[in-house]
Amino acid sequence: MGKIVVLDHPLIKHKLTFIRDKNTGTKEFKELVKEVSTLMAYEVTRDLPLEEIEIETPLAKTKSQVISGKKLGLVPILRAGLGMVEGMLDLLPAAKVGHVGLYRDPKTLKPVEYYCKLPKDVEERELIVLDPMLATGGSADAAINFLKKEGANSIKLVCLLGAPEGIEVIQQKHPDVDIYLANIDEGLNEHAYIVPGIGDAGDRLFGTK
Ligand code: PRP
Ligand code: URA
């Protein structure tokens, strides 16, 4: 079974409060999502392997550690996942970025795929799927299925908020995928929105409604 990691750092909790607040406007919302994403990148990369290399400081030769192993790939689920990319890239500037375009049909609640473009060497990368919302889990499930079909071997899922229902879906269908969240919320309302949630993440990020 994949790990569920809830990031309970006070800075994340503080910023999440203002992301949730309906009076927070688009500009501030976008900045806060970016900042929380950077903080999450710190934890998501905690298990990256290290290797020692030899360097010279101004005073002496020494051995020191650098990240080794697989290269990273960020895969935002469009649209709302885009809000998390820049914040992650601030800490992981060498990561390549792929895009998976999905929207949730408001009637059926099923994900509809409309765009996909991934780095060529996807099977060699540790992929980090980004989406602020894990609601029914349908979109994340579809994105992960697509990545696996394209050859991905290593996938983590990073979301701001998860509903227990969506977390369960990913754990059942993708036991190899660890899930990182800023919070697990109470559940879903009758329109499958996360409660208390943050509302429609894409609309709040891009000012559409
Ligand atoms: C939102 C969100 C997730 C999905 C979550 O996207 O960003 O991708 O819904 O819901 P699920 O877990 O029930 O699938 P949406 O479909 O609203 O598209 P958008 O990002 O383009 O606004
Ligand atoms: N998509 C969103 O943007 N918000 C939710 O609460 C659920 C799905």
Side-chain angles (χ1 to χ4, degrees):
M1 192 66 79
K3 270 192 300 186
I4 307 289
V5 183
V6 179
L7 304 176
D8 56 2
H9 194 286
L11 284 174
I12 294 181
K13 295 294 175 211
H14 177 87
K15 289 175 192 295
L16 190 52
T17 299
F18 296 98
I19 290 174
R20 288 189 192 278
D21 190 334
K22 68 176 187 183
N23 294 316
T24 299
T26 300
K27 179 174 180 288
E28 199 188 347
F29 185 91
K30 202 184 299 170
E31 286 166 2
L32 287 163
V33 170
K34 179 182 174 209
E35 288 166 10
V36 170
S37 304
T38 304
L39 293 167
M40 293 186 84
Y42 182 79
E43 191 60 36
V44 173
T45 51
R46 181 176 285 283
D47 58 2
L48 286 182
L50 293 166
E51 66 180 308
E52 273 199 341
I53 60 166
E54 200 167 275
I55 54 156
E56 236 179 299
T57 76
L59 299 182
K61 278 193 176 163
T62 186
K63 290 202 169 126
S64 195
Q65 293 179 318
V66 291
I67 289 167
S68 71
K70 283 188 180 171
K71 295 173 283 183
L72 297 176
L74 303 179
V75 184
I77 301 180
L78 307 181
R79 290 176 300 166
L82 287 175
M84 300 178 74
V85 174
E86 258 191 72
M88 288 259 163
L89 281 176
D90 279 352
L91 282 196
L92 312 168
K96 291 268 194 314
V97 183
H99 296 85
V100 176
L102 294 171
Y103 69 87
R104 197 173 71 162
D105 183 290
K107 288 212 176 76
T108 65
L109 299 180
K110 298 278 176 250
V112 182
E113 190 180 306
Y114 61 89
Y115 182 80
C116 287
K117 183 85 182 166
L118 299 176
K120 267 195 228 109
D121 52 356
V122 87
E123 66 287 349
E124 289 164 25
R125 289 185 181 267
E126 195 164 301
L127 299 182
I128 302 175
V129 176
L130 304 173
D131 194 330
M133 311 308 276
L134 178 60
T136 65
S139 303
D141 174 41
I144 293 168
N145 281 334
F146 174 77
L147 295 177
K148 287 182 173 173
K149 196 165 63 109
E150 294 295 309
N153 293 304
S154 168
I155 301 174
K156 289 175 176 170
L157 174 63
V158 183
C159 304
L160 294 187
L161 298 184
E165 295 89 327
I167 294 170
E168 165 104 21
V169 166
I170 300 303
Q171 281 209 303
Q172 293 302 325
K173 297 196 174 182
H174 303 286
D176 54 317
V177 172
D178 293 339
I179 309 174
Y180 295 78
L181 300 150
N183 201 60
I184 300 176
D185 273 17
E186 286 160 23
L188 300 175
N189 71 7
E190 64 278 20
H191 305 291
Y193 272 78
I194 297 178
V195 181
I198 61 176
D200 188 304
D203 282 345
R204 293 197 66 193
L205 266 172
F206 297 108
T208 48
K209 211 162 203 171

